[in-house]
Every structure is written in structure tokens, then in C-alpha cells.
DNA sequence: GTCTATAATCGGATAGAC
DNA sequence: GTCTATCCGATTATAGAC
């Protein structure tokens, strides 16, 4: 039953590649269709609109991050515990960013284009909640700034060193992030 | 001699604001003209083309960064000394990013749109040279990763905490970056 | 599922009057 | 310096045949 990759999947793959290379708004449906050797109307058979295509690419990552954050928060309404081991949380966060690094580049570089999907607000929310998990409630400004350096720096690494094997990147990246957070190397 | 702000300056201000808010490619000349109460052809009296307008906004920042990096490199062809105090260099770098934080957001989010200005290549070059200044020639991968966290995190802070007074942000941000680099708090 | 043909819209840019 | 009017190209999207 080796389906030779159906058209919908091939469209998604080509779109992902072009969006990452030249930007979302800078890629037209014509360009995607040409690359695949089909025509524009054929795209509309598989996706209701241009926005539907974009959403189909972005949403799996968004859902994955939402699960990541929500799964580590308390659900009983009690105060969120800062009981998370920083290195473990940062390591898991690195692997998450790494898994989605292609779409991640696209998203962080194009928040304005993706405004209709409210990507910016959701990212802010996740970062706020992650800082809460790392530092506990009401952290001082200085600690929050350290956390911003740590989390922002980790995402940058997933993008910057995408050509290296992840095992080689993860360790040093997590150590640097932990140090920025105020947990220096043992 | 209180010139009531000439039109060219007003155009640049409105364009900067709209570009930062909704993206470069997502802002049309019509939108800029409407906001100013003039028409599109009037824009063309002040700028030769759309690209000329974008360039006029981005270039001052680019020149400033180039001067920053070049001014700290050795010019005699000798090996680049790693003799820079990390906290001093990081602090100056923070202030640079802070000064240009509005245009900075626009640029890092829209590398694809600005491809014709070769913004991406120039940014890569600056980061590479800064890492050289911080770590000396041929740094190990782990050290480079720490530097990526440090420099990336600093830029993020200039954007993320743009609403706070810079004196409040700079200290903690530089300390976090230095720790990520491997120079822990004394 | 994919095509041809086409509608409707919007973008950047120019000519020429005032 | 700013306007009206206009051109040209490209884009999203749809209708209808195969």
C-alpha cells in the first residue's frame, strides 16, 4: 500500500519549503503550483483558500507547543509550582524547537503576516507560562530578563545550527541557557 | 526656524510605524499616503521607488552596526585579539540594539523581504565577527553556541522589554548574556 | 483531480495638469 | 509639491469542461 505521496502532502511540502526560503507573503500560489507541475485551480481542490494552506502548515506546530506547555502546568488551580528541574525543562524545550525548526523560522520571522492566526499572542502566552514554570510566580524583573535570554537563545540555536546533529547542539545550548537563568555549570 | 517637519520626514515616520506594526510587504504605498492625507504620486516626488523608501529606513541602522563591529576589529591584519572585556562589549552591543530596536524588529522579522538589500548576509557576518571578538579565533562549537545564546538573547531583550527604561534592562541582560558565554557572575 | 478561461482586485509606477 | 487619470502586471479566486 505504498501510496506514492498524495498531492495534498506534496503541496504542503513544497509550500513549507518556499515559505521558509522566501517568506509567506512573497510566495504566490502560482509559484507553488509551477514547482509541482500543476495549475493554480488544482490547489483549490485541496485547500479552500490560501489562508487554509498556511494554517495547515502552522497548526501542527502550534498544537504541539500548546500541549508542551499545558502538560507541565498544574491543572488543579493551585499555585503553579516552580518545581521543574531547569535543565530538564530547557532540554525538552530545545527538542521541541528543534523538531519544528523549519516552521519556527517561518513563524518568528513573519508574525505580521500571520496576525490573523493570532500567532503572536499565543507565543507571548507560552513564553510567559514557561517563565512561570521556571521561576515560580511573580519573578523579579532581573530574573525574567535572564529567562528571556535563555529561551530566546535556545530558539536561535535551533535555527542557527540546523545543519549540525542535534546531539551536538543540545548539551551546550542547554548549559548556556541554564547559566543565563542563573543556574551556573556545576 | 521651526520647520513644521517636512513631508519627507513625515513619510519616513509613518512608514517606519506601519512597517513595524504590520510588516514591510504588508504595507502598501496607498496605505502610507492615506495615513498622511496625500496621494501615492506625491510619495514618488520624495522617493524614487518603494525600495528607495525601505532603504532609507534601514540603512542608518546598518551603517551604525557596521561601524560598531569594524571599529572594534584590528586593522593591521594581525590576528584578531580576544582582548575585549566581554561585559563591556556586550553592554555596548545592548545599547546599539536598544537604539535601533524599532527598525531591528522589522529587519529580523523580514529577512526574506529585504533579501535584495543583502541584510541577511551582513547580519551573519557581523555575528561571526562579534563571536571572534568575544572568543578569539577558532572557538570550539560549544563556545560558539554559548555566544549565540548570549547575542541572540540580548537582541530579544531590546525588543521584549522596549517598554521599560533601558537602565533597568541593560544590567540584568548583560549579566545573563555573560553567564551564557561562560563568564559567571563574580 | 486537473484543466482552460476569466473575473475582480490591488499593487507599483508614470504622464501631465495645476 | 501635490493632484487626476491611467497603464501594466500579478494575485486570489471561481465557473465550467474533461
Amino acid at each position: 500500500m505504498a501510496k506514492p505521496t498524495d498531492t495534498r502532502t506534496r503541496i504542503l511540502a513544497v509550500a513549507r519549503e518556499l515559505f521558509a526560503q522566501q517568506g509567506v507573503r512573497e510566495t504566490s500560489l502560482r509559484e507553488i503550483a509551477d514547482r509541482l507541475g500543476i495549475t493554480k485551480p488544482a490547489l483549490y481542490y485541496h485547500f479552500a483558500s490560501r489562508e487554509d494552506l498556511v494554517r495547515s502548515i502552522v497548526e501542527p506546530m502550534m498544537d504541539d507547543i500548546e500541549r508542551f506547555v499545558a502538560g507541565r502546568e498544574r491543572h488543579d488551580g493551585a499555585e503553579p509550582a516552580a518545581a521543574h528541574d531547569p535543565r530538564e525543562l530547557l532540554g525538552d524545550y530545545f527538542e521541541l524547537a528543534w523538531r519544528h525548526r523549519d516552521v519556527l523560522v517561518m513563524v518568528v520571522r513573519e508574525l505580521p503576516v500571520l496576525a490573523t492566526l493570532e500567532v503572536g499572542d499565543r507565543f507571548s502566552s507560552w513564553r510567559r507560562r514557561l517563565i512561570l514554570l521556571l521561576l515560580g510566580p511573580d519573578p523579579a524583573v532581573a530574573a525574567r530578563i535572564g529567562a528571556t535570554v535563555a529561551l530566546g537563545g535556545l530558539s536561535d540555536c535551533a535555527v542557527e545550527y540546523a545543519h549540525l546533529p542535534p546531539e551536538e547542539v543540545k548539551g551546550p545550548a542547554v548549559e548556556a541557557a541554564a547559566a543565563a537563568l542563573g543556574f551556573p555549570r556545576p
Side-chain angles (χ1 to χ4, degrees), chain A:
Chain A
M1 244 341 146
K3 270 195 227 151
T5 328
D6 63 350
T7 306
R8 188 189 153 92
T9 308
R10 289 173 58 226
I11 295 174
L12 285 172
V14 167
R16 214 191 257 95
E17 190 189 331
L18 290 178
F19 286 164
Q21 267 177 26
Q22 15 170 293
V24 176
R25 182 70 198 270
E26 287 66 37
T27 303
S28 67
L29 298 184
R30 199 181 90 77
E31 226 172 332
I32 298 172
D34 281 0
R35 175 80 70 103
L36 285 163
I38 62 177
T39 58
K40 276 193 291 174
L43 293 181
Y44 278 88
Y45 175 83
H46 298 278
F47 298 92
S49 67
R50 177 194 165 83
E51 193 187 326
D52 183 36
L53 170 60
V54 175
R55 196 201 321 276
S56 301
I57 291 177
V58 174
E59 244 170 17
M61 181 197 66
M62 305 283 280
D63 293 347
D64 210 6
I65 303 184
E66 174 58 35
R67 266 193 302 276
F68 177 89
V69 179
R72 281 163 182 75
E73 291 173 329
R74 286 243 186 127
H75 302 288
D76 49 20
E79 81 282 5
H84 288 268
D85 173 49
R87 282 180 174 76
E88 193 185 323
L89 182 57
L90 291 172
D92 292 346
Y93 180 73
F94 173 85
E95 286 183 3
L96 179 72
W98 187 271
R99 237 181 357 261
H100 295 288
R101 61 191 182 283
D102 55 341
V103 182
L104 197 63
V105 190
M106 177 186 131
V107 163
V108 298
R109 282 191 182 165
E110 316 219 36
L111 288 184
V113 193
L114 304 170
T116 56
L117 299 177
E118 292 174 350
V119 175
D121 293 342
R122 294 170 71 184
F123 263 85
S124 299
S125 155
W126 292 327
R127 195 181 40 235
R128 212 188 52 245
R129 290 151 70 192
L130 285 173
I131 291 178
L132 210 69
L133 289 172
L134 283 166
L135 301 175
D138 286 320
V141 175
R144 294 171 50 92
I145 290 173
T148 299
V149 174
L151 294 174
L154 274 188
S155 307
D156 287 359
C157 285
V159 171
E160 180 77 15
Y161 300 101
H163 59 288
L164 295 179
E167 323 83 66
E168 207 168 315
V169 182
K170 184 183 170 182
V174 168
E175 276 313 312
L181 250 189
F183 299 93
R185 292 158 181 81

